[in-house]
Amino acid sequence: MKSGPDRAGYFGEFGGRFVPETVMPALLELERAYKQVIRDPEFRKQYEYYLSEYCGRPSPLYFAERMTADLGGARIYLKREDLNHTGAHKINNCIGQALLARKMGKKRIIAETGAGQHGVATATAAALFGQDCVVYMGVEDTVRQALNVFRMKMLGARVVPVDSGSKTLKDAINEAMRDWVTNIRTTHYLLGSVLGPHPYPVMVRDFQKIIGKEARRQVLSKEGKLPDLLIACVGGGSNAIGLFTAFLNDKKVDMVGVEAGGTGRKLGNHAARFSGGSLGVLQGTRTYVLHDRNGQIAPTHSVSAGLDYAAIGPEHSYLRSIDRVSYTSVGDKAALDAFYYLSRTEGIVPALESAHAIAYVRRVAPRMSRRQTIIVNLSGRGDKDVMAVAALDENGA
């Protein structure tokens, strides 16, 4: 299938550029620069060098033997993005965009972050390439992810707490965009997911599709066939698109994205855009958005800061609209149970975001044949979440 987007940045009816006129020159400059470097063999060589020698790629495709035996159905493989340098898939995109910024002569990097993993990866890439770095983060998330705040500062980044609105990821993006508008000439906005105005959804996807390329090669080597099912958590959706893209033309490979079901179906209690949202525009892109009957962006909730966002990447909306990818949701309690389950079954502590995908595996694997295989993208490790989970346990959660 055609991966898109079209020249205007649309995946079907989703995507585009809905931004103030002051931002358009920067987006057009970015699009031109990206189109040049992505075809440049020297840029590709540099990018692949850092992914391999610095980030530790390829990440393993690990057969979860005890989990497979315990659930009693499909063979389960974990794509171990948690083993990347900085502990998540985010570094793949940050290395690419930081190299691009260097090519463009931009010496200052800004970013938003929710769970802190993108912020840490951005600060890491900026330190590696000698760039100034500012990271915007909602006040609520700075409390939930205090360890990552310290890591960013340790790497030389300035972390700016955002106390407007819901004090989470949406508001951090707003502040980063305001900064970018003011400092466009010297600054590159290193957006962390397949969100925002064109060219970000396609650019971030392209820097993350290494996940699926590796997984495809690895599973063919291990199983001699393609997987039956791919599973990944979906906030903005970069880790999921990274896994799914390499398999989109394989009609027999099913794919499921797992959103944050939070504490219930009432608006404000979850971040499940497809089950509780509708078509709208948020932060530069047309996609599925959680908003109230008056069109106001709704508050969201998830136990995982990285899934706590009111919109989803436009390519995900497109893939759902053509029935290529299915989407479901997992609640806080099931995600917390899965956090402990993987820790105790495989000795792997997952990020709370990834735990949503593991929870869905627990639901679906027992219903599948032992001849079938699942790949679940373990998008990050759970060191950052341990203290937050411990606090929830102390409160009787």
Side-chain angles (χ1 to χ4, degrees):
M1 62 175 287
K2 187 178 179 180
S3 59
D6 65 16
R7 289 184 179 181
Y10 280 91
F11 301 87
E13 64 179 310
F14 309 100
R17 290 189 182 106
F18 294 85
V19 296
E21 289 184 10
T22 51
V23 180
M24 282 300 293
L27 289 173
L28 293 173
E29 178 193 22
L30 179 61
E31 183 181 13
R32 285 193 299 270
Y34 176 66
K35 284 181 176 178
Q36 287 175 357
V37 301
I38 207 64
R39 294 191 296 263
D40 180 358
E42 183 59 32
F43 180 87
R44 296 298 307 180
K45 184 178 178 181
Q46 281 187 320
Y47 176 59
E48 290 165 5
Y49 167 80
Y50 284 108
L51 288 188
S52 172
E53 300 298 316
Y54 186 72
C55 300
R57 302 206 72 91
S59 65
L61 185 69
Y62 168 70
F63 176 54
E65 185 175 357
R66 291 196 65 230
M67 188 176 173
T68 296
D70 181 67
L71 295 177
R75 293 168 61 80
I76 300 164
Y77 285 90
L78 308 178
K79 182 56 174 162
R80 297 291 306 276
E81 292 300 292
D82 59 309
L83 294 180
N84 286 334
H85 180 45
T86 73
H89 71 291
K90 295 292 187 180
I91 193 69
N92 305 326
N93 170 55
C94 289
I95 291 292
Q97 286 201 51
L99 281 170
L100 174 59
R102 190 168 71 172
K103 285 274 190 180
M104 295 172 69
K106 309 282 186 176
K107 297 181 179 180
R108 181 173 179 265
I109 301 291
I110 61 172
E112 84 298 331
T113 197
Q117 289 301 101
H118 175 59
V120 169
T122 301
T124 298
L128 175 65
F129 298 128
Q131 297 158 322
D132 294 333
C133 182
V134 178
V135 180
Y136 291 91
M137 190 173 191
V139 166
E140 183 176 323
D141 293 337
T142 64
V143 175
R144 291 196 279 187
Q145 301 295 338
L147 174 62
N148 274 344
V149 172
F150 182 75
R151 291 172 73 194
M152 286 182 268
K153 291 178 178 178
M154 186 172 65
L155 288 158
R158 182 165 69 93
V159 180
V160 180
V162 177
D163 61 2
S164 60
S166 61
K167 305 177 183 180
T168 56
L169 182 59
K170 172 178 69 68
D171 312 288
I173 293 175
N174 285 339
E175 291 303 314
M177 289 293 288
R178 291 189 185 101
D179 183 322
W180 197 30
V181 169
T182 307
N183 301 288
I184 278 175
R185 187 174 60 82
T186 61
T187 299
H188 172 64
Y189 179 17
L190 205 164
L191 187 62
S193 195
V194 285
L195 296 165
H198 181 63
Y200 282 108
V202 65
M203 184 169 65
V204 177
R205 177 198 69 192
D206 288 351
F207 285 136
Q208 291 292 359
K209 65 184 182 182
I210 186 67
I211 301 170
K213 283 184 176 180
E214 289 178 1
R216 183 187 180 89
R217 190 164 58 244
Q218 290 165 327
V219 75
L220 285 171
S221 174
K222 291 172 181 289
E223 291 285 328
K225 65 183 183 69
L226 292 173
D228 297 280
L229 176 62
L230 307 177
I231 300 171
C233 66
V234 182
S238 63
N239 93 88
I241 284 292
L243 178 63
F244 295 164
T245 298
F247 297 88
L248 288 176
N249 290 322
D250 301 302
K251 295 181 180 180
K252 292 184 179 180
V253 179
D254 293 328
M255 307 179 197
V256 176
V258 184
E259 298 184 282
T263 57
R265 294 185 177 182
K266 185 178 178 182
L267 198 63
N269 290 346
H270 63 85
R273 288 64 50 100
F274 287 134
S275 60
S278 57
L279 197 56
V281 174
L282 179 62
Q283 294 175 327
T285 195
R286 188 170 191 257
T287 186
Y288 270 77
V289 180
L290 290 168
H291 46 206
D292 64 23
R293 63 184 62 184
N294 297 315
Q296 297 300 306
I297 302 303
T300 55
H301 165 78
S302 174
V303 70
S304 59
L307 303 185
D308 196 359
Y309 183 64
I312 193 167
E315 189 170 6
H316 284 290
S317 292
Y318 172 68
L319 292 171
R320 178 178 180 267
S321 74
I322 62 170
D323 296 322
R324 183 62 191 94
V325 180
S326 300
Y327 295 84
T328 187
S329 62
V330 161
D332 285 357
K333 186 180 184 305
L336 285 166
D337 288 346
F339 180 86
Y340 283 111
Y341 178 79
L342 190 64
S343 300
R344 293 167 179 171
T345 306
E346 293 290 346
I348 299 170
V349 181
L352 281 173
E353 292 78 20
S354 308
H356 285 70
I358 297 298
Y360 183 71
V361 172
R362 296 179 74 189
R363 186 190 305 172
V364 72
R367 303 199 298 263
M368 295 173 65
S369 162
R370 293 176 186 269
R371 296 186 300 275
Q372 293 179 296
T373 56
I374 295 171
I375 295 177
V376 55
N377 201 22
L378 203 65
S379 59
R381 65 177 181 240
D383 308 38
K384 67 185 180 62
D385 296 313
V386 168
M387 295 311 297
V389 172
L392 288 170
D393 275 355
E394 289 172 5
N395 294 330

